[in-house]
């Protein structure tokens, strides 16, 4: 497994991404946005510190049961006086702004970057990408095999596919998002345990997150 990169004007990023996504079944090259040169370097540096074989990471991920992994995270949090009710919050009503692919934009200004990189990965499944990049294992970001396990399940259940991976962000396109509050809340809890920062440093509560996930074609994860 390997990946190559293409450099492109930021304004062409989505056009390029969607074009390569449509051709992926024929080319065998799975596209993903990386961001600018700094983000590409961060990905490469992180992978250099992990000498594991991507195929071995994928095999390990097949043995991970995400529900058990979440239970372990929850038990650790409860030992530190975690309050599920406090982080759950109240349903905020319908949220119309669901977000969109953003790795080609500056995070503070929202302006499109002059130049970005698109990765092309020789992988069989979209959820193999974290293994290829050896992504995670730093700060609160899960190990690569955990990323693979979650994204394998989410691809099966929601048609979610990774569209971008930068130094600290993962973005997904979602084909079958949840369409009711219960399903969205269950998914939001899963995403909270996988990536607590999107709630604790982002939308504030699990139900706020759930409201953004309903009918949303886009998911965003970020680790501090």
């Amino acid at each position: 497994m390997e990946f190559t990169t293409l450099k492109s004007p930021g304004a062409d990023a989505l056009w390029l991404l969607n074009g390569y996504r449509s051709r992926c079944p024929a080319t065998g090259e799975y596209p993903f946005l990386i961001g600018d040169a700094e983000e590409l370097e961060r990905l490469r540096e992180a992978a250099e510190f992990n000498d594991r074989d991507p195929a071995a990471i994928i095999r390990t991920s097949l043995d991970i049961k995400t529900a058990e992994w979440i239970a372990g995270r929850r038990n650790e949090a409860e030992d530190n006086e975690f309050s599920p009710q406090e982080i759950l919050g109240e349903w905020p009503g319908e949220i119309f702004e669901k977000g969109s692919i953003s790795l080609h934009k500056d995070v503070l200004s929202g302006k499109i970057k002059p130049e970005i990189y698109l990765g092309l990965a020789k992988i069989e499944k979209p959820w193999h990408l974290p293994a290829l990049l050896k992504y995670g294992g730093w700060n609160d970001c899960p190990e690569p095999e955990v990323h693979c396990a979650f994204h394998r399940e989410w691809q099966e259940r929601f048609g979610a596919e990774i569209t971008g991976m930068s130094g600290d962000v993962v973005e997904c396109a979602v084909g079958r998002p949840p369409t009711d509050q219960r399903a969205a809340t269950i998914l939001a809890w899963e995403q909270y345990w996988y990536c607590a920062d999107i709630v604790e440093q982002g939308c504030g509560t699990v139900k706020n997150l759930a409201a953004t996930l309903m009918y949303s074609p886009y998911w965003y994860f970020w680790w501090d």
Side-chain angles (χ1 to χ4, degrees):
M1 293 188 291
E2 59 184 21
F3 81 97
T4 57
T5 59
L6 294 175
K7 186 162 60 174
S8 165
D12 294 338
L14 297 185
W15 172 82
L16 195 65
L17 174 68
N18 290 329
Y20 273 94
R21 280 177 62 83
S22 68
R23 294 191 293 273
C24 180
T27 64
E29 294 181 318
Y30 187 80
F32 62 102
L33 283 179
I34 296 171
D36 57 23
E38 180 181 349
E39 294 299 339
L40 175 59
E41 185 61 24
R42 290 179 67 187
L43 279 184
R44 287 175 170 166
E45 287 179 353
E48 288 176 359
F49 287 99
N50 189 332
D51 60 2
R52 298 170 65 197
D53 177 55
I57 294 172
I58 291 171
R59 288 194 298 271
T60 301
S61 77
L62 296 173
D63 294 327
I64 294 175
K65 295 179 173 58
T66 59
E68 293 180 0
W69 186 89
I70 287 172
R73 280 271 174 128
R74 187 173 59 243
N75 289 339
E76 290 177 9
E78 289 172 351
D79 288 341
N80 290 292
E81 299 181 352
F82 171 74
S83 172
Q85 204 58 38
E86 183 177 332
I87 199 69
L88 177 62
E90 301 292 333
W91 191 263
E94 187 171 0
I95 294 178
F96 294 96
E97 177 51 56
K98 305 294 188 179
S100 60
I101 291 173
S102 62
L103 282 177
H104 60 305
K105 298 179 180 179
D106 180 84
V107 68
L108 296 179
S109 68
K111 293 181 179 179
I112 293 175
K113 295 180 179 180
E115 192 173 81
I116 61 92
Y117 286 85
L118 182 82
L120 296 171
K122 291 285 189 178
I123 54 177
E124 296 179 8
K125 304 286 186 181
W127 59 267
H128 291 179
L129 189 58
L132 178 67
L133 300 181
K134 304 176 184 179
Y135 192 88
W138 39 266
N139 295 348
D140 204 36
C141 187
E143 296 287 343
E145 58 267 33
V146 176
H147 289 287
C148 289
F150 273 99
H151 286 279
R152 181 181 71 248
E153 288 193 10
W154 288 335
Q155 184 177 340
E156 293 171 354
R157 290 161 55 201
F158 301 104
E161 297 182 351
I162 297 171
T163 57
M165 297 188 79
S166 72
D168 55 10
V169 169
V170 174
E171 296 185 311
C172 299
V174 186
R176 301 184 301 276
T179 58
D180 63 78
Q181 291 187 24
R182 180 178 181 276
T185 301
I186 291 171
L187 174 61
W189 271 118
E190 293 174 8
Q191 294 195 0
Y192 170 75
W193 293 113
Y194 169 69
C195 180
D197 284 342
I198 58 173
V199 172
E200 293 177 356
Q201 299 190 55
C203 62
T205 69
V206 168
K207 285 199 172 180
N208 283 346
L209 175 60
T212 69
L213 295 175
M214 280 184 62
Y215 299 102
S216 176
Y218 168 77
W219 292 350
Y220 170 89
F221 304 101
W222 168 78
W223 292 268
D224 193 1

